[in-house]
Amino acid sequence: MQRRTMLLSAAVMAALGSASPLALAADQTMNVDVCIVGAGAGGVSAGMASVDAGFKTVILEKLGVIGGGGNYMEGTFAVGSRLQLKDNVGINVEKQFKRVMDFHHWRINGKALNNWLKQTAATIDWMEQHGIKFEGVHTAFIDGNRTWHMFEGGHGSSLIKNFAQKIEAKGGQILTSTPAQSLIIDKNGTVTGVIAKNEDGDKITINAKAVIIATGGFSCNPEMVKKYLPYAGYESAGSPGRTGDGIQMLEKAGAELVNMNVTMQAGLWLKGVPTGLQFGKDGLTGATYVRLLAALFQPYLKVSPKGDRFADETLPLEYISNAAEEIGGEAFAVFDDNTRKEMINEGLPRGYFGMVAPGTKFTNFDKLFEEGVKKGFCYKANSIKELAKKTGMDPQRLQKTVDRMNQMTKNQKDDEFYKDSQWLREVKKGPFYAIKGSLRTYATVGGANVNEYFQPLTPDGKVIKGLYAIGQDAGGLYSDSYDMHIAEGTASSWAINGGRLSVEHIKTYLKK
Ligand SMILES: Cc1cc2nc3c(=O)[nH]c(=O)nc-3n(C[C@H](O)[C@H](O)[C@H](O)COP(=O)(O)OP(=O)(O)OC[C@H]3O[C@@H](n4cnc5c(N)ncnc54)[C@H](O)[C@@H]3O)c2cc1C
């Protein structure tokens, strides 16, 4: 009884980021029905479903804090939900299926997609029945689909905390600072458990009838990023525990890996600035530089490190990220003093997602920009030539780009990339400014090839018994890019639904 109380407070405190991690006393063995590796969005959803099903459940979390990337998600995807029906959002499973399949040129796992789409509305109901609250359905895009179900307070941490409390109240265990290290596989190739280690280095053998891998992908593993992603410098936004452990275990167990080159692209971020200093609600958090991130995001001139314009700057996040990948993953926003004044006096027209409201007047531009200059990601110069020198661009190329932009602005016609003319701005009146950006990802989305029950498959299509892969450890949904602007919130939805649905399958698997 005392032990249960300790566990509950450890995980709940961990969710709040202030826990002293729970350490088990010495090498030991546990026998459970379901062992879940990773206590993020997918892991706690699987844990919730597992304790509801009456399974003896343990969740292992590598960090001292639970939640992973799930603490950062703002909203989750569904189609045909109660909230969408109430608001007359005109999409249904069939329409969405065709739209997504077309976007990915039918190079993705259609069966898994369809099975998941059909369940997403029921999963919203399931979350609501478990006390998760939504603020409504939104889209961050002008012509978006309104698939993004926003969590109360704009943060998925509300789901993480709520589920963690309920899991422990129902007898499930969440062991923080206890990374899984390998799978136990019997001579028939069936997965029968997990070997983990706690903070004190004690080995923990967990014998389990089913194992669910939910370690959140590999965005924080620089070697894997270099090996698989198109831009080796991709930095990861959010939780640091996502180092590809689960994917490596799945591969060792014989799973085929798919979509390993794709990420949930977060666009250009201030180069070298830690996530916490630039990502967060304007004015409310420590995200000091979120307005500079918003300035970088505005649909004005962007150029490659050589000084060439490379895309329509109004493109959705995944398209502008693709274009930036093509030029090496880094780019600059370049503007003149008139645009600076416009941002200060008239505001940042597009804001930055839920963090900077559209139209926010950038009144502290000069102060923040000056700090950016000192930190080396902002540049100011009296001439285009000097700006090119400071940023390392080719002066002639940058001058040519600027001249062309000025001509197109005068003509009110972008005959290069056909951006809406309302976003054309001259770069004529000094001083001139540049902000350096580099690509970040919210999460990687490649992983084990899974069937519609989230069972990983070998390259010859055989199921690996006793094993499930969910969330960012399960691939198959994306061909060459994430599909944010037609299906906002799919990454977390794939994880949460994977948690619920893999346990549905475990119920039948364990009966056999
Ligand atoms: C800034 C940001 C904003 C986002 N916004 C959205 C959004 O609005 N909508 C959306 O759909 N998605 C969003 N995402 C993505 C979303 O967070 C992920 O899709 C989701 O969290 C994936 O769930 P998961 O369970 O696969 O991984 P995670 O939630 O990342 O959880 C994985 C967990 O596994 C742990 N782990 C790793 N290795 C081990 C190991 N060996 N042993 C034990 N534990 C281990 C990690 O520490 C982590 O806690 C966002 C992500 C970020 C970073």
Side-chain angles (χ1 to χ4, degrees):
M1 191 60 192
Q2 202 185 356
R3 180 127 183 97
R4 163 90 53 253
T5 314
M6 274 178 63
L7 284 169
L8 178 69
S9 54
V12 171
M13 290 295 285
L16 298 170
S18 58
S20 65
L22 175 79
L24 295 175
D27 286 8
Q28 61 176 275
T29 300
M30 300 170 77
N31 296 308
V32 299
D33 297 313
V34 179
C35 175
I36 300 159
V37 182
V44 298
S45 302
M48 190 71 256
S50 182
V51 294
D52 277 352
F55 292 138
K56 189 172 181 196
T57 304
V58 65
I59 307 182
L60 306 176
E61 170 53 50
K62 175 181 186 158
L63 301 182
V65 180
I66 63 169
N71 283 326
Y72 297 82
M73 60 194 182
E74 295 170 85
T76 194
F77 170 92
V79 58
S81 71
R82 181 185 69 76
L83 291 161
Q84 286 166 323
L85 294 176
K86 191 176 87 168
D87 279 7
N88 291 318
V89 176
I91 48 168
N92 57 38
V93 169
E94 188 177 333
K95 256 193 199 170
Q96 186 66 16
F97 176 82
K98 288 180 176 162
R99 200 170 182 188
V100 172
M101 290 305 285
D102 286 350
F103 178 93
H104 293 292
H105 304 119
W106 285 75
R107 289 183 191 277
I108 62 169
N109 186 339
K111 281 189 183 168
L113 172 72
N114 194 23
N115 187 53
W116 161 65
L117 287 178
K118 283 179 180 165
Q119 296 290 338
T120 53
T123 299
I124 297 287
D125 293 343
W126 175 76
M127 285 190 264
E128 287 188 319
Q129 281 153 17
H130 283 83
I132 309 299
K133 293 199 169 67
F134 293 96
E135 289 180 351
V137 273
H138 293 291
T139 174
F141 299 96
I142 291 161
D143 56 350
N145 243 344
R146 293 191 68 200
T147 59
W148 210 21
H149 295 64
M150 309 306 288
F151 291 106
E152 189 178 42
H155 275 290
S157 54
S158 57
L159 172 138
I160 304 288
K161 282 178 205 159
N162 183 316
F163 276 4
Q165 280 171 332
K166 290 198 168 76
I167 289 164
E168 293 190 325
K170 285 192 160 197
Q173 284 180 291
I174 301 175
L175 305 182
T176 53
S177 299
T178 309
Q181 298 195 305
S182 58
L183 295 173
I184 307 170
I185 304 176
D186 74 11
K187 59 180 178 352
N188 302 317
T190 301
V191 173
T192 59
V194 174
I195 303 290
K197 206 172 230 186
N198 69 15
E199 220 179 5
D200 300 328
D202 307 321
K203 178 180 169 187
I204 304 168
T205 303
I206 299 146
N207 298 312
K209 294 172 188 160
V211 172
I212 302 174
I213 302 289
T215 68
F218 63 90
S219 58
C220 304
N221 180 326
E223 285 88 47
M224 287 178 82
V225 164
K226 200 169 166 198
K227 178 173 174 188
Y228 291 113
L229 298 188
Y231 166 49
Y234 251 117
E235 288 180 79
S236 178
S239 178
R242 300 166 299 160
T243 50
D245 303 6
I247 292 179
Q248 290 172 23
M249 286 182 236
L250 286 157
E251 194 177 22
K252 270 197 188 147
E256 180 186 22
L257 303 184
V258 291
N259 304 149
M260 291 296 283
N261 60 330
V262 192
T263 79
M264 186 187 176
Q265 296 152 311
L268 293 164
W269 287 43
L270 304 173
K271 169 95 177 153
V273 178
T275 299
L277 288 179
Q278 55 179 314
F279 192 84
K281 202 127 183 141
D282 187 26
L284 286 184
T285 67
T288 319
Y289 300 119
V290 65
R291 287 188 183 183
L292 281 178
L293 176 63
L296 175 67
F297 176 70
Q298 297 311 299
Y300 308 136
L301 178 63
K302 288 199 182 49
V303 301
S304 73
K306 291 192 177 110
D308 300 321
R309 187 174 178 229
F310 62 95
D312 165 358
E313 292 86 354
T314 61
L315 288 176
L317 217 48
E318 63 271 33
Y319 288 171
I320 196 93
S321 301
N322 283 348
E325 278 180 9
E326 293 301 314
I327 54 150
E330 293 180 5
F332 292 85
V334 170
F335 49 94
D336 72 358
D337 204 50
N338 283 337
T339 301
R340 168 189 153 273
K341 282 188 186 135
E342 187 184 332
M343 289 196 244
I344 295 171
N345 299 326
E346 291 166 45
L348 297 156
R350 291 199 137 184
Y352 189 77
F353 296 91
M355 291 160 220
V356 178
T360 298
K361 291 185 177 161
F362 198 163
T363 44
N364 54 347
F365 176 95
D366 290 338
K367 180 178 170 289
L368 287 188
F369 199 87
E370 195 48 47
E371 285 179 30
V373 171
K374 284 193 190 124
K375 287 181 190 291
F377 61 89
C378 289
Y379 308 83
K380 185 176 172 184
N382 288 321
S383 68
I384 292 296
K385 197 173 167 190
E386 190 192 347
L387 192 70
K389 204 170 161 212
K390 285 189 169 174
T391 52
M393 292 181 214
D394 178 330
Q396 282 174 346
R397 284 166 94 151
L398 182 61
Q399 188 63 58
K400 209 172 148 199
T401 300
V402 162
D403 290 346
R404 180 146 196 210
M405 179 50 71
N406 291 344
Q407 190 58 50
M408 291 192 298
T409 309
K410 200 172 160 202
N411 299 344
Q412 280 298 287
K413 174 78 186 163
D414 176 359
D415 55 10
E416 196 171 34
F417 297 127
Y418 307 101
K419 176 169 77 171
D420 188 321
S421 62
Q422 67 171 309
W423 303 116
L424 293 168
R425 294 291 181 279
E426 285 185 331
V427 186
K428 223 171 193 173
K429 186 180 177 311
F432 300 98
Y433 303 84
I435 303 175
K436 187 170 191 177
S438 64
L439 285 175
R440 290 214 183 174
T441 170
Y442 296 121
T444 52
V445 294
N449 188 21
V450 291
N451 64 14
E452 55 267 54
Y453 310 113
F454 295 89
Q455 293 173 291
L457 303 171
T458 62
D460 54 359
K462 290 202 182 90
V463 160
I464 302 169
K465 283 196 183 150
L467 189 60
Y468 295 81
I470 63 171
Q472 265 45 106
D473 291 338
L477 277 198
Y478 308 94
S479 55
D480 70 355
S481 330
Y482 192 67
D483 48 18
M484 187 179 289
H485 79 285
I486 59 161
E488 275 155 291
T490 55
S492 62
S493 174
W494 181 239
I496 296 164
N497 278 274
R500 183 172 83 83
L501 300 175
S502 58
V503 173
E504 281 304 307
H505 190 263
I506 290 170
K507 286 184 198 168
T508 48
Y509 169 69
L510 292 188
K511 262 191 216 150
K512 284 178 192 159

